[in-house]
Amino acid sequence: MCGIGACLSLLGLNVAPKVLKMIKNLEYRGYDSAGLAMITPDGIIDVRKDKGKIADLEIKLRFSEMKGFIGIGHTRWATHGAVSKRNAHPHVDCSRCIAVVHNGIIENYIELRKELEAKGHIFTTETDTEVIPHLIEENLKHHDNFFNAFEESIKQLKGAYALAVITLKDPSKIFFARFFSPLVIGIGECEYYIASDIPAFLEWTRKVIILHDGDIGFVSKEGVIIKNIFDNTIVNRDVITVEWTKEMAEKGGFDHFMLKEIYEQPVGVKRTVMMTEKQMQGVLEILENANDIYLVAAGTSFYASLHGQYAFSVYGFKSRAIIASEFIEEVGSFIDEDDVIIGVSQSGETADTLKALRHGKDKGARILAVTNVVGSAITRLADKVIIMGAGPEIGVAATKTFTSQVAVLNYILLEWAKEHGYDVELLLDKLRNRVPEDMEATIRETDEAAKQLVEMIHKKGNAYYLGRGLGLPIALEGALKMKEIAYLHAEGYPAGESKHGPIALVEPGFPIIAVVLKDAVYDKMHIAIEEMKSRGGYIISVCEKSDDKTKKLSNFYFDVPTGYSNILAPLVYIIPLQLLAYRTAVKRGCDPDKPRNLAKSVTVE
Ligand code: G6P
């Protein structure tokens, strides 16, 4: 959801190529337009921006030829105002002395804009962001010091923001502010970076300061100065060294990040299980004393949570997975201090998820967070945090973080079941030692099958993904992947429910992707498949290698290792569906890493 990249060189080196690289590294956050602003050696602010992808704009606007040792950049995911050159960031004030890049939404921008226009400010865009440079310009009329005018302006903003600001009034500093939307500072060799996310600058530094809500400040020769506007004091934030490496945020020979991330899943799950084991202290105590347990998440994280709900139920533990944006209306009034909410979020920054968790926290519920990002907003909200070991995920469509989330929830569940006297040693051992190997084999074997099936499926306009019980979250996630990156209308549906409506659409050749586990609902899955088949549906099954009966029923099948018709199912069953979506997207000429209209972290509600 918009990417901010800013850089200051203390040695006076030209930073435009680095700012450009930073926003390229953050393109997964938004990519409908982009721009850079630099304070040039001639003492002006050079702003270049337009709509389009960064690679094209780079050629058109020659970003890397821009001059200056201080610069800010932005890659946009539009919220207010059409995708256009003038609405692209950076935005400037009337005198072009202040340039601002922003991620988030300024909720009171209409009132502020009216007031500023009444005072003579001329607006040139439809964005909420443009009020910020004008507001600072206005406040500078009664402040000599830029920082004081900046602080006063920030206090007038309502909504969510991460900001990087440069000004000719104080041209050797980059100013920043954060409230709700993420912002981090990278400490390099004689260089500072300010960015929406750590992968922006991983190639230059792993030393990071994670800003908190209400932090404002600047980087300059004096170092990093941070003031918290709520405490009204200068604060010291820890510099942490992240474990992610530069290679983890690069494509490493793969055509796309998504494909690399699908292939990284065995390692990600292995690391995640090891890390979860070390972070279990206190987790079971929280769950044990809970009255109601809710799993709250959005997108792919929701389907991992739904898996959690089904898996918990296998061992008799009651929980409910709820879509974050529905949480307050659906169950908000029932939450109290005896409840536990498990917030599942790759980024740890999804606004809907954070809002639901804040609501729960205000009502006294305890919060357990499962996330991929150290220091993300969810970690500050939670009573207990589990960090996954998936590594940075750059592809917009979540893949390796889905399997890592499933691994965390399964691990917690198995430990809990053990406490309750279940004999789960074999499953635990399999999760720790066998799963990565089986995932690797599944990737190898099903990628070839996916390439074959694509020849048929890429011409289709619709598909159903059916599953039952533990197979349902897998089907839903598989359909989401296909929709997100191949723009093929794929609908995930409970197989038993498919006769109550969806079947009306089925005609000869209609693709039906069936997730078939050899469990208690195996025969019922077959009934649904038969119903679809007798209407001409083209049956594509994902089933265990030894499941000849399902294979016989199918026009095409992907087989996964035998022995996964249990809570470990998503770890292998989802792989062919991820690969099928990826291969279909490529075949249809779509960019799987940057699907249209989507953003990786959605920091607005
Ligand atoms: C966006 C992304 C999805 C992601 C969802 C939740 O919609 O495009 O891939 O699953 O947000 O994100 P989170 O970071 O909370 O897991």
Side-chain angles (χ1 to χ4, degrees), residues 518-536:
K518 268 198 128 175
D519 58 6
V521 288
Y522 177 69
D523 292 336
K524 297 210 170 101
M525 265 311 289
H526 280 188
I527 295 173
I529 292 174
E530 294 278 15
E531 286 162 359
M532 295 291 167
K533 203 175 159 73
S534 52
R535 270 110 192 143

Side-chain angles (χ1 to χ4, degrees), residues 298-301 344-348 350 353 396-398 405 484 599-600 602:
T300 290
S301 300
V344 182
S345 173
Q346 183 284 128
S347 61
T350 299
T353 307
V396 166
Q405 288 166 341
E484 281 179 314
K600 184 140 192 83
V602 181

Side-chain angles (χ1 to χ4, degrees), residues 70-301:
I70 188 161
I72 56 177
H74 189 266
T75 174
R76 181 170 186 238
W77 188 87
T79 57
H80 286 73
V83 176
S84 67
K85 177 175 177 169
R86 62 201 180 97
N87 288 340
H89 297 220
H91 293 291
V92 293
D93 61 327
C94 298
S95 55
R96 290 184 73 90
C97 270
I98 302 163
V100 175
V101 287
H102 166 223
N103 170 31
I105 289 180
I106 305 302
E107 286 165 8
N108 57 339
Y109 84 100
I110 294 177
E111 299 92 286
L112 288 171
R113 184 170 170 148
K114 271 194 198 138
E115 283 168 26
L116 290 161
E117 278 175 336
K119 288 178 181 157
H121 291 264
I122 309 289
F123 282 73
T124 57
T125 80
E126 296 145 7
T127 64
D128 53 335
T129 304
E130 200 190 355
V131 297
I132 302 169
H134 290 287
L135 188 58
I136 305 173
E137 182 180 39
E138 184 59 31
N139 285 327
L140 267 169
K141 289 182 183 160
H142 49 267
H143 283 291
D144 292 336
N145 179 302
F146 184 84
F147 183 72
N148 293 343
F150 178 59
E151 181 176 355
E152 186 180 339
S153 310
I154 296 299
K155 287 179 175 162
Q156 288 171 261
L157 302 179
K158 288 194 186 123
Y161 48 81
L163 299 172
V165 179
I166 52 173
T167 176
L168 298 178
K169 303 275 179 204
D170 200 348
S172 54
K173 296 184 177 121
I174 305 178
F175 297 85
F176 56 78
R178 179 212 164 139
F179 189 62
F180 280 146
S181 304
L183 200 64
V184 292
I185 299 175
I187 318 281
E189 285 284 320
C190 298
E191 252 168 18
Y192 289 113
Y193 315 99
I194 298 172
S196 302
D197 209 348
I198 297 166
F201 49 70
L202 258 186
E203 51 209 279
W204 308 301
T205 187
R206 288 163 57 202
K207 286 192 196 145
V208 181
I209 293 176
I210 295 173
L211 294 170
H212 294 199
D213 284 340
D215 282 356
I216 68 166
F218 56 84
V219 292
S220 73
K221 281 209 162 81
E222 296 161 47
V224 186
I225 306 295
I226 306 173
K227 179 174 180 181
N228 190 278
I229 51 172
F230 302 127
D231 305 343
N232 208 22
T233 50
I234 300 291
V235 288
N236 254 328
R237 299 275 174 238
D238 294 340
V239 178
I240 58 167
T241 304
V242 291
E243 283 177 20
W244 292 355
T245 62
K246 135 183 189 290
E247 290 72 28
M248 282 172 153
E250 287 170 349
K251 275 192 213 151
F254 285 88
D255 290 341
H256 295 99
F257 279 110
M258 183 178 176
L259 188 60
K260 176 185 173 236
E261 287 159 3
I262 292 173
Y263 273 73
E264 279 174 348
Q265 293 184 101
V267 177
V269 164
K270 194 178 177 120
R271 214 172 24 223
T272 293
V273 171
M274 278 158 46
M275 285 171 63
T276 307
E277 209 165 346
K278 292 189 188 133
Q279 300 171 88
M280 280 299 287
Q281 205 187 354
V283 173
L284 297 189
E285 288 78 350
I286 291 182
L287 295 177
E288 199 54 66
N289 297 316
N291 184 15
D292 285 318
I293 297 174
Y294 297 94
L295 295 122
V296 175
T300 290
S301 300

